[in-house]
């Protein structure tokens, strides 16, 4: 109660108070970029894992972003019973478009099981299953195929080992105070 500004009223004695909550400053009110992977998983975008040079990755993400918006609007239009939408509403997606594409690369290119991908992205396997289905439709519409890699992965340890062998740093270095 000490943190809130307080107004004391003497209408009914000493017990009548009005708390005046004040708006707090937002730490970050900018929306997360939908075309970027989660910051702690950006190492997955390396060409050694995706099989795509950075320019092709960026082009594919741009193409999929356009297709995704059309797919989303069609889905929402059907759910609303073809009523017009009143602006952007709803919560932020758990997985960005880049995260979804990375999940598809790990599953379709490297054969990593959906349960392992769910653990990596810290979501439920059902979420990965739905997002893989959505991204598969987008990839088919874009005319892009994910070709299987020479080496298939069965566990997250296999993924981390492959990344280490390719010289990819998977965890940020922790700097100690000295």
């Amino acid at each position: 109660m000490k943190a809130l500004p307080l107004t004391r009223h003497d209408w009914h004695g000493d017990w009548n108070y009005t708390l005046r909550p004040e708006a707090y400053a937002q730490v970050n009110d900018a929306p997360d970029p939908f075309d970027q992977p989660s910051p702690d998983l950006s190492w997955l975008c390396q060409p050694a894992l995706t099989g795509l040079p950075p320019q092709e990755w960026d082009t594919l993400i741009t193409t999929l972003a356009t297709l995704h918006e059309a797919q989303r609007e069609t889905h929402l239009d059907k759910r609303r019973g073809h009523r017009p939408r009143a602006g952007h509403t709803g919560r932020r997606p758990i997985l960005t478009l880049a995260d979804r594409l990375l999940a598809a690369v790990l599953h379709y290119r490297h054969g990593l099981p959906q349960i392992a991908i769910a653990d990596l992205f810290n979501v439920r396997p059902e979420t990965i299953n739905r997002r893989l289905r959505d991204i598969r439709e987008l990839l088919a519409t874009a005319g892009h195929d994910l070709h299987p890699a020479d080496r298939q992965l069965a566990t997250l340890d296999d993924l981390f080992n492959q990344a280490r062998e390719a010289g990819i740093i998977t965890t940020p270095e922790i700097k100690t105070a000295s």
Side-chain angles (χ1 to χ4, degrees):
M1 204 161 124
K2 291 180 181 180
L4 294 175
L6 182 66
T7 302
R8 179 178 281 181
H9 300 286
D10 288 328
W11 299 322
H12 300 288
D14 203 24
W15 56 268
N16 200 352
Y17 297 96
T18 301
L19 296 176
R20 297 183 320 247
E22 295 179 353
Y24 63 92
Q26 292 283 339
V27 175
N28 181 9
D29 57 358
D32 293 331
F34 193 58
D35 61 347
Q36 298 295 314
S38 300
D40 54 340
L41 296 175
S42 61
W43 60 273
L44 290 170
C45 289
Q46 298 293 324
L49 294 175
T50 63
L52 297 171
Q55 299 83 6
E56 285 185 39
W57 174 266
D58 293 340
T59 302
L60 183 59
I61 284 289
T62 303
T63 303
L64 293 180
T66 304
L67 294 172
H68 175 267
E69 187 61 29
Q71 179 190 52
R72 182 176 179 274
E73 285 301 319
T74 302
H75 177 71
L76 288 174
D77 189 50
K78 186 187 303 182
R79 284 181 57 194
R80 286 189 304 264
H82 306 289
R83 292 185 305 265
R85 185 166 73 140
H88 283 316
T89 58
R91 65 176 189 246
R92 288 181 179 172
I94 294 172
L95 297 173
T96 66
L97 184 62
D99 289 342
R100 296 170 190 196
L101 183 56
L102 288 171
V105 166
L106 292 174
H107 185 66
Y108 297 121
R109 179 172 163 73
H110 295 286
L112 195 62
Q114 291 182 19
I115 293 173
I117 297 169
D119 285 342
L120 182 65
F121 284 94
N122 200 22
V123 295
R124 296 175 45 129
E126 294 83 6
T127 301
I128 291 295
N129 187 300
R130 281 191 306 271
R131 297 306 146 232
L132 285 176
R133 192 173 347 131
D134 294 343
I135 202 77
R136 187 174 53 231
E137 287 178 20
L138 293 177
L139 288 168
T141 303
H144 187 83
D145 292 327
L146 293 175
H147 301 289
D150 296 334
R151 180 176 168 193
Q152 296 295 296
L153 307 173
T155 65
L156 286 179
D157 289 337
D158 294 344
L159 173 64
F160 286 110
N161 289 336
Q162 182 174 347
R164 203 171 308 115
E165 290 169 7
I168 300 170
I169 298 172
T170 59
T171 55
E173 291 182 24
I174 299 172
K175 296 181 182 179
T176 59
S178 48

